[in-house]
Amino acid sequence: MVLDDWQRIEKVVRWAGLSVNAFALHIGLNRGENLYQIKRGNNGISKELAEMIAARYPEISRAWLVTGEGDMFAGGAAVRSLIPVYDADAVSLVQMERRPQAAGTMTLPRAGKVSFAAPLFSRTMEPELPNGALLLLDETAVADLLPGYAYLVVTDRMAVVRRVLREESDPEMLRLVAANPSYGEVRIGEYEVRSLYRVKGYLWYEL
């Protein structure tokens, strides 16, 4: 069955993991109203709109956007990965001996490799990472650590989200720095790190 113009737009929006308004802004439109006109049947998917979408999401087939025929994905393959999403606090989650079943999954095509997503219930990284933000976390080897980035660091005695820096005088020592100045700095040896998760980004929903 060939999907109508709005159904095709809606399918891409869901795949991108965005709201209609956020998707419109992401592809370069001033507002979501341009897309809602398609839902009302006042407009169709123009070649110009298809180009805007494909420029931002090259995985999507231009021909499918305009005609509805063929496969949604260019080359016929869905370039996507499902990210497990947990309700449990990220810091608590990584300390569990056995990880619980994920509450659901999500797809964020532009996020790259993400191991899982979980909320951070802490003010230690505010305003950089808001309390309650859903963190996108990627398990990383200590050898691949990028100094200056935020990580969820797990040792035998603690698990914390901090910006990680190397000591200039001793590169094998790590400084775990909170963005919130109310919290102190922690120093640990690289050998103490049991697991490491880079914060690739976060999602924040203000209620």
Side-chain angles (χ1 to χ4, degrees):
M1 183 182 74
V2 177
L3 301 178
D4 65 30
D5 286 9
W6 173 248
Q7 289 171 328
R8 296 199 298 281
I9 290 292
E10 194 175 34
K11 189 172 182 179
V12 176
V13 170
R14 284 201 307 268
W15 173 79
L18 300 171
S19 67
V20 173
N21 288 329
F23 180 82
L25 293 172
H26 201 58
I27 63 173
L29 294 173
N30 292 329
R31 56 201 180 113
E33 181 61 26
N34 303 71
L35 300 180
Y36 284 118
Q37 287 294 334
I38 296 174
K39 183 176 184 178
R40 297 186 188 103
N42 296 331
N43 293 328
I45 300 176
S46 65
K47 288 183 178 180
E48 291 75 16
L49 178 58
E51 286 295 333
M52 292 175 77
I53 294 171
R56 177 62 70 174
Y57 300 106
E59 301 95 334
I60 304 299
S61 164
R62 291 173 177 80
W64 176 83
L65 280 168
V66 175
T67 67
E69 296 177 0
D71 197 273
M72 171 178 168
F73 297 96
V79 184
R80 60 180 291 183
S81 60
L82 292 175
I83 301 168
V85 180
Y86 295 90
D87 290 334
D89 173 59
V91 171
S92 301
L93 187 69
V94 295
Q95 296 181 89
M96 295 178 183
E97 287 188 16
R98 184 175 179 181
R99 194 170 293 175
Q101 184 175 350
T105 58
M106 66 190 302
T107 303
L108 292 172
R110 316 311 273 178
K113 180 176 171 287
V114 175
S115 301
F116 66 94
L120 173 66
F121 296 118
S122 170
R123 299 191 181 280
T124 57
M125 292 300 290
E126 288 186 331
E128 186 176 316
L129 299 172
N131 179 32
L134 185 70
L135 302 187
L136 306 176
L137 297 159
D138 180 35
E139 189 165 13
T140 306
V142 178
D144 297 327
L145 187 148
L146 300 172
Y149 285 85
Y151 285 87
L152 172 47
V153 182
V154 184
T155 72
D156 286 334
R157 55 192 176 90
M158 66 177 178
V160 293
V161 177
R162 295 288 194 280
R163 194 177 303 114
V164 180
L165 302 169
R166 290 190 183 276
E167 287 276 16
E168 291 184 13
S169 58
D170 185 357
E172 292 186 3
M173 293 297 294
L174 303 176
R175 296 170 51 212
L176 311 183
V177 182
N180 187 335
S182 300
Y183 294 84
E185 183 176 308
V186 179
R187 285 177 167 80
I188 62 170
E190 187 180 278
Y191 65 90
E192 295 182 64
V193 178
R194 184 156 50 89
S195 53
L196 189 68
Y197 302 86
R198 183 181 164 195
V199 180
K200 297 287 293 290
Y202 71 88
L203 298 177
W204 173 244
Y205 301 99
E206 191 163 359
L207 300 177

